[in-house]
PDB file of all heavy atoms in Angstrom:
ATOM      1  N   ASP A1421     112.426  95.436 106.749  1.00 55.00           N
ATOM      2  CA  ASP A1421     113.594  94.919 107.442  1.00 55.00           C
ATOM      3  C   ASP A1421     114.586  94.371 106.426  1.00 55.00           C
ATOM      4  O   ASP A1421     114.325  93.381 105.751  1.00 55.00           O
ATOM      5  CB  ASP A1421     113.188  93.813 108.424  1.00 55.00           C
ATOM      6  CG  ASP A1421     112.315  94.341 109.536  1.00 55.00           C
ATOM      7  OD1 ASP A1421     112.495  95.510 109.908  1.00 55.00           O
ATOM      8  OD2 ASP A1421     111.460  93.585 110.026  1.00 55.00           O
ATOM      9  N   GLN A1437      99.826 109.519  95.868  1.00 96.00           N
ATOM     10  CA  GLN A1437      99.504 109.976  94.514  1.00 96.00           C
ATOM     11  C   GLN A1437     100.454 109.389  93.468  1.00 96.00           C
ATOM     12  O   GLN A1437     100.087 109.281  92.302  1.00 96.00           O
ATOM     13  CB  GLN A1437      99.528 111.503  94.436  1.00 96.00           C
ATOM     14  CG  GLN A1437      98.417 112.163  95.232  1.00 96.00           C
ATOM     15  CD  GLN A1437      97.060 111.816  94.671  1.00 96.00           C
ATOM     16  OE1 GLN A1437      96.410 110.873  95.117  1.00 96.00           O
ATOM     17  NE2 GLN A1437      96.638 112.554  93.676  1.00 96.00           N
ATOM     18  N   ARG A1440      98.745 106.348  92.361  1.00 96.00           N
ATOM     19  CA  ARG A1440      97.566 106.669  91.545  1.00 96.00           C
ATOM     20  C   ARG A1440      97.955 107.110  90.139  1.00 96.00           C
ATOM     21  O   ARG A1440      97.287 106.750  89.171  1.00 96.00           O
ATOM     22  CB  ARG A1440      96.737 107.734  92.247  1.00 96.00           C
ATOM     23  CG  ARG A1440      96.087 107.195  93.503  1.00 96.00           C
ATOM     24  CD  ARG A1440      95.118 108.190  94.118  1.00 96.00           C
ATOM     25  NE  ARG A1440      94.493 107.595  95.274  1.00 96.00           N
ATOM     26  CZ  ARG A1440      94.721 107.976  96.521  1.00 96.00           C
ATOM     27  NH1 ARG A1440      95.552 108.981  96.764  1.00 96.00           N
ATOM     28  NH2 ARG A1440      94.114 107.384  97.529  1.00 96.00           N
ATOM     29  N   TRP A1468      90.272  85.422  67.252  1.00 88.00           N
ATOM     30  CA  TRP A1468      90.973  84.873  68.393  1.00 88.00           C
ATOM     31  C   TRP A1468      92.296  85.599  68.638  1.00 88.00           C
ATOM     32  O   TRP A1468      92.765  85.681  69.775  1.00 88.00           O
ATOM     33  CB  TRP A1468      91.200  83.371  68.241  1.00 88.00           C
ATOM     34  CG  TRP A1468      91.960  82.990  67.001  1.00 88.00           C
ATOM     35  CD1 TRP A1468      91.432  82.636  65.787  1.00 88.00           C
ATOM     36  CD2 TRP A1468      93.365  82.947  66.854  1.00 88.00           C
ATOM     37  NE1 TRP A1468      92.432  82.384  64.891  1.00 88.00           N
ATOM     38  CE2 TRP A1468      93.636  82.563  65.525  1.00 88.00           C
ATOM     39  CE3 TRP A1468      94.446  83.192  67.700  1.00 88.00           C
ATOM     40  CZ2 TRP A1468      94.927  82.426  65.032  1.00 88.00           C
ATOM     41  CZ3 TRP A1468      95.723  83.043  67.199  1.00 88.00           C
ATOM     42  CH2 TRP A1468      95.955  82.669  65.878  1.00 88.00           C
ATOM     43  N   GLN A1492     105.758 101.771  94.889  1.00 95.00           N
ATOM     44  CA  GLN A1492     105.480 103.066  95.523  1.00 95.00           C
ATOM     45  C   GLN A1492     105.751 102.996  97.024  1.00 95.00           C
ATOM     46  O   GLN A1492     106.310 103.917  97.601  1.00 95.00           O
ATOM     47  CB  GLN A1492     104.028 103.476  95.256  1.00 95.00           C
ATOM     48  CG  GLN A1492     103.605 104.778  95.906  1.00 95.00           C
ATOM     49  CD  GLN A1492     102.938 104.589  97.262  1.00 95.00           C
ATOM     50  OE1 GLN A1492     102.285 103.585  97.507  1.00 95.00           O
ATOM     51  NE2 GLN A1492     103.124 105.545  98.135  1.00 95.00           N
ATOM     52  N   ALA A1507     116.056 105.343  99.881  1.00 92.00           N
ATOM     53  CA  ALA A1507     115.960 103.894  99.707  1.00 92.00           C
ATOM     54  C   ALA A1507     114.740 103.585  98.852  1.00 92.00           C
ATOM     55  O   ALA A1507     113.697 104.221  98.974  1.00 92.00           O
ATOM     56  CB  ALA A1507     115.839 103.197 101.053  1.00 92.00           C
ATOM     57  N   ARG A1514     117.850  99.447  96.819  1.00 90.00           N
ATOM     58  CA  ARG A1514     118.943 100.387  96.614  1.00 90.00           C
ATOM     59  C   ARG A1514     118.894 101.441  97.723  1.00 90.00           C
ATOM     60  O   ARG A1514     117.833 101.947  98.054  1.00 90.00           O
ATOM     61  CB  ARG A1514     118.796 101.050  95.255  1.00 90.00           C
ATOM     62  CG  ARG A1514     119.894 101.998  94.935  1.00 90.00           C
ATOM     63  CD  ARG A1514     119.790 102.514  93.526  1.00 90.00           C
ATOM     64  NE  ARG A1514     120.943 103.349  93.263  1.00 90.00           N
ATOM     65  CZ  ARG A1514     121.078 104.098  92.209  1.00 90.00           C
ATOM     66  NH1 ARG A1514     120.136 104.108  91.288  1.00 90.00           N
ATOM     67  NH2 ARG A1514     122.140 104.829  92.039  1.00 90.00           N
ATOM     68  N   VAL A1528     113.741 120.590  91.449  1.00 94.00           N
ATOM     69  CA  VAL A1528     112.375 120.104  91.668  1.00 94.00           C
ATOM     70  C   VAL A1528     111.646 120.198  90.336  1.00 94.00           C
ATOM     71  O   VAL A1528     111.629 121.260  89.719  1.00 94.00           O
ATOM     72  CB  VAL A1528     111.638 120.932  92.744  1.00 94.00           C
ATOM     73  CG1 VAL A1528     110.203 120.455  92.886  1.00 94.00           C
ATOM     74  CG2 VAL A1528     112.359 120.836  94.077  1.00 94.00           C
ATOM     75  N   LEU A1533     101.501 115.599  83.950  1.00 95.00           N
ATOM     76  CA  LEU A1533     100.796 114.512  84.628  1.00 95.00           C
ATOM     77  C   LEU A1533     101.067 114.534  86.131  1.00 95.00           C
ATOM     78  O   LEU A1533     100.157 114.319  86.942  1.00 95.00           O
ATOM     79  CB  LEU A1533     101.202 113.170  84.019  1.00 95.00           C
ATOM     80  CG  LEU A1533     100.313 111.992  84.352  1.00 95.00           C
ATOM     81  CD1 LEU A1533      98.871 112.262  83.938  1.00 95.00           C
ATOM     82  CD2 LEU A1533     100.819 110.737  83.677  1.00 95.00           C
ATOM     83  N   LEU A1544     118.769 115.473  93.281  1.00 89.00           N
ATOM     84  CA  LEU A1544     119.982 116.041  93.877  1.00 89.00           C
ATOM     85  C   LEU A1544     121.139 115.777  92.924  1.00 89.00           C
ATOM     86  O   LEU A1544     121.422 114.618  92.600  1.00 89.00           O
ATOM     87  CB  LEU A1544     120.270 115.385  95.227  1.00 89.00           C
ATOM     88  CG  LEU A1544     119.207 115.599  96.277  1.00 89.00           C
ATOM     89  CD1 LEU A1544     118.328 114.388  96.377  1.00 89.00           C
ATOM     90  CD2 LEU A1544     119.873 115.893  97.574  1.00 89.00           C
ATOM     91  N   VAL A1554     117.353 110.719  93.321  1.00 91.00           N
ATOM     92  CA  VAL A1554     116.011 111.174  92.985  1.00 91.00           C
ATOM     93  C   VAL A1554     115.040 110.709  94.061  1.00 91.00           C
ATOM     94  O   VAL A1554     115.098 109.568  94.510  1.00 91.00           O
ATOM     95  CB  VAL A1554     115.577 110.597  91.612  1.00 91.00           C
ATOM     96  CG1 VAL A1554     114.157 110.985  91.288  1.00 91.00           C
ATOM     97  CG2 VAL A1554     116.516 111.039  90.517  1.00 91.00           C
ATOM     98  N   ARG A1569     115.767 123.076 102.322  1.00 91.00           N
ATOM     99  CA  ARG A1569     116.611 122.548 103.405  1.00 91.00           C
ATOM    100  C   ARG A1569     117.909 121.979 102.861  1.00 91.00           C
ATOM    101  O   ARG A1569     118.981 122.247 103.387  1.00 91.00           O
ATOM    102  CB  ARG A1569     115.849 121.484 104.184  1.00 91.00           C
ATOM    103  CG  ARG A1569     116.689 120.813 105.262  1.00 91.00           C
ATOM    104  CD  ARG A1569     115.845 120.010 106.211  1.00 91.00           C
ATOM    105  NE  ARG A1569     116.578 118.999 106.930  1.00 91.00           N
ATOM    106  CZ  ARG A1569     117.495 119.234 107.857  1.00 91.00           C
ATOM    107  NH1 ARG A1569     117.827 120.469 108.151  1.00 91.00           N
ATOM    108  NH2 ARG A1569     118.105 118.240 108.474  1.00 91.00           N
ATOM    109  N   ALA A1571     119.384 122.688  99.999  1.00 86.00           N
ATOM    110  CA  ALA A1571     120.200 123.766  99.445  1.00 86.00           C
ATOM    111  C   ALA A1571     120.917 124.508 100.563  1.00 86.00           C
ATOM    112  O   ALA A1571     122.114 124.828 100.450  1.00 86.00           O
ATOM    113  CB  ALA A1571     119.327 124.720  98.641  1.00 86.00           C
ATOM    114  N   LEU A1581     135.022 124.370 101.954  1.00 49.00           N
ATOM    115  CA  LEU A1581     135.921 123.759 100.963  1.00 49.00           C
ATOM    116  C   LEU A1581     136.769 124.780 100.270  1.00 49.00           C
ATOM    117  O   LEU A1581     136.441 125.889 100.061  1.00 49.00           O
ATOM    118  CB  LEU A1581     135.098 122.985  99.931  1.00 49.00           C
ATOM    119  CG  LEU A1581     134.347 121.772 100.473  1.00 49.00           C
ATOM    120  CD1 LEU A1581     133.543 121.132  99.366  1.00 49.00           C
ATOM    121  CD2 LEU A1581     135.296 120.772 101.081  1.00 49.00           C
TER     122      LEU A1581
END
Side-chain angles (χ1 to χ4, degrees):
D1421 295 329
Q1437 293 296 94
R1440 291 187 178 111
W1468 57 267
Q1492 178 266 329
R1514 182 174 184 190
V1528 177
L1533 195 57
L1544 297 100
V1554 176
R1569 176 167 159 68
L1581 295 178

